[in-house]
Amino acid sequence: MDKLLEVDGLKTYFYTGEGVLPAVDGISFSLEEGEILAIVGESGCGKSVTSMSLLNLISRPGKIVDGKILYKNENLLEKSGEEMRRIRGNEISMIFQEPVASLNPVFKIGRQIGETIMFHRNVSKKDANIRALELLSSVGIPDPLSVMEKYPHQLSGGMCQRVMISIALACEPEILIADEPTTSLDVTIQAQILRLLKDLKEKRGTSIILITHDMGVVAQMADNVMVMYAGQAVEYAGVGEIFANPSHPYTLGLLNSIPHINEEQEALYNIKGMVPGMGEYPQGCRFSPRCEYASEKCIIDPPELVERGDFHRVRCHKPLKKGR
């Protein structure tokens, strides 16, 4: 398959009174046609900033300082503002993490979906409204005609999330970036939305970047996985390899945190400590203060992302043995 998107050495820093804060610090990955790539990690690891960088939506005090974002072999960072507006929502769409904040509070839902369609497609208002109704129905919204006439504040958080998904899918994008797409949804609707994303891949060949902290969703949805920690990729591999042979202690910690239905557990496993703030990264491996395997070398020397096997990279001085 062809590589639809290639990200090489992406760095997004924030310039504040406290200094330069590296939110995304040298991320590289690729996305093929029809692939679902999951980007996983705890809150504060840089997942959402990565997604916003892909669409060049970083505003002050943030700035993309280095790297390339190649979409169909063209660097998006060299595009004009007008060129990016034509790409966003059309060829590359995003489901934002905060749906209520992402919707315009003064416009009705139908208008917000319809204007997205009319901006990118040469269709009438009537046809745009028909398409909007279809989209709202496809994400499980009951009585979509009524919802079209409502404002965002009249809907629940879960309903707003589904409206955002409708807007993101309106123009059948080639790449869909889904930032925690099932947040605030009940279990039934979560399953429906994940099935919808799967259908987009299988029936339309849509490529999806799925940003999540839920390893259960990763197991169900992803083809490949990039694990992020403190602004860096610490492991990158196929989903089967990640679950069978995690090489980074942080990845192992995330997997051990998954509850198992058929096993009795006194308490859920949790990784000790917290993700460091952007201005508090340790000198060596950024995970070393929380790592039970850390040595003096880990504390002093920052590790590089190195090949562990076929399409398996890890940033660790002491990668875990296979089958651990």
Side-chain angles (χ1 to χ4, degrees), residues 26-204:
I27 293 292
S28 297
F29 64 88
S30 63
L31 184 70
E32 295 183 345
E33 294 180 7
E35 174 188 346
I36 297 180
L37 170 68
I39 301 179
V40 301
E42 296 165 283
S43 296
C45 286
K47 307 186 304 296
S48 292
V49 177
T50 298
S51 67
M52 297 290 279
S53 299
L54 297 180
L55 288 172
N56 208 349
L57 286 173
I58 301 298
S59 55
R60 292 184 178 181
K63 183 180 180 182
I64 299 173
V65 298
D66 199 8
K68 295 179 180 179
I69 302 172
L70 300 177
Y71 169 63
K72 295 182 176 179
N73 296 316
E74 294 186 6
N75 192 355
L76 296 183
L77 299 181
E78 296 175 352
K79 298 285 186 183
S80 67
E82 179 59 29
E83 287 173 321
M84 284 305 302
R85 279 190 289 274
R86 291 293 172 183
I87 290 173
R88 296 188 200 110
N90 184 26
E91 297 181 59
I92 305 176
S93 282
M94 183 167 177
I95 303 168
F96 293 93
Q97 190 172 358
E98 299 292 338
V100 178
S102 301
L103 293 170
N104 193 317
V106 302
F107 293 140
K108 293 179 179 179
I109 297 302
R111 178 174 174 179
Q112 296 193 52
I113 302 174
E115 286 191 345
T116 299
I117 297 168
M118 289 188 290
F119 180 78
H120 293 294
R121 298 285 191 267
N122 185 25
V123 298
S124 67
K125 183 177 180 180
K126 178 182 177 182
D127 288 340
N129 285 337
I130 292 171
R131 172 66 175 152
L133 282 170
E134 293 173 349
L135 288 162
L136 291 173
S137 296
S138 73
V139 295
I141 289 182
D143 195 6
L145 191 59
S146 172
V147 170
M148 292 265 287
E149 293 298 316
K150 291 184 177 180
Y151 293 93
H153 74 271
Q154 296 176 297
L155 303 178
S156 67
M159 290 281 273
C160 285
Q161 181 75 303
R162 282 180 272 174
V163 169
M164 279 300 306
I165 293 170
S166 297
I167 293 172
L169 301 180
C171 297
E172 301 183 354
E174 295 199 45
I175 297 176
L176 178 65
I177 303 169
D179 191 353
E180 302 282 5
T182 57
T183 300
S184 76
L185 302 180
D186 63 45
V187 175
T188 303
I189 301 301
Q190 281 186 30
Q192 185 176 351
I193 295 303
L194 293 177
R195 182 66 256 170
L196 177 63
L197 295 179
K198 274 266 192 179
D199 286 345
L200 285 171
K201 171 196 169 176
E202 293 169 1
K203 296 178 181 178
R204 300 180 185 172

Side-chain angles (χ1 to χ4, degrees), residues 178-241:
D179 191 353
E180 302 282 5
T182 57
T183 300
S184 76
L185 302 180
D186 63 45
V187 175
T188 303
I189 301 301
Q190 281 186 30
Q192 185 176 351
I193 295 303
L194 293 177
R195 182 66 256 170
L196 177 63
L197 295 179
K198 274 266 192 179
D199 286 345
L200 285 171
K201 171 196 169 176
E202 293 169 1
K203 296 178 181 178
R204 300 180 185 172
T206 306
S207 302
I208 299 172
I209 297 175
L210 178 63
I211 296 169
T212 183
H213 63 274
D214 189 331
M215 295 301 287
V217 170
V218 172
Q220 180 182 347
M221 297 289 294
D223 298 304
N224 297 308
V225 183
M226 182 171 73
V227 182
M228 285 190 71
Y229 186 80
Q232 297 179 325
V234 296
E235 190 157 7
Y236 187 22
V239 66
E241 181 71 4

Side-chain angles (χ1 to χ4, degrees), residues 298-309:
C298 302
I299 296 169
I300 296 172
D301 297 329
E304 298 292 327
L305 192 68
V306 297
E307 294 288 340
R308 173 72 164 163

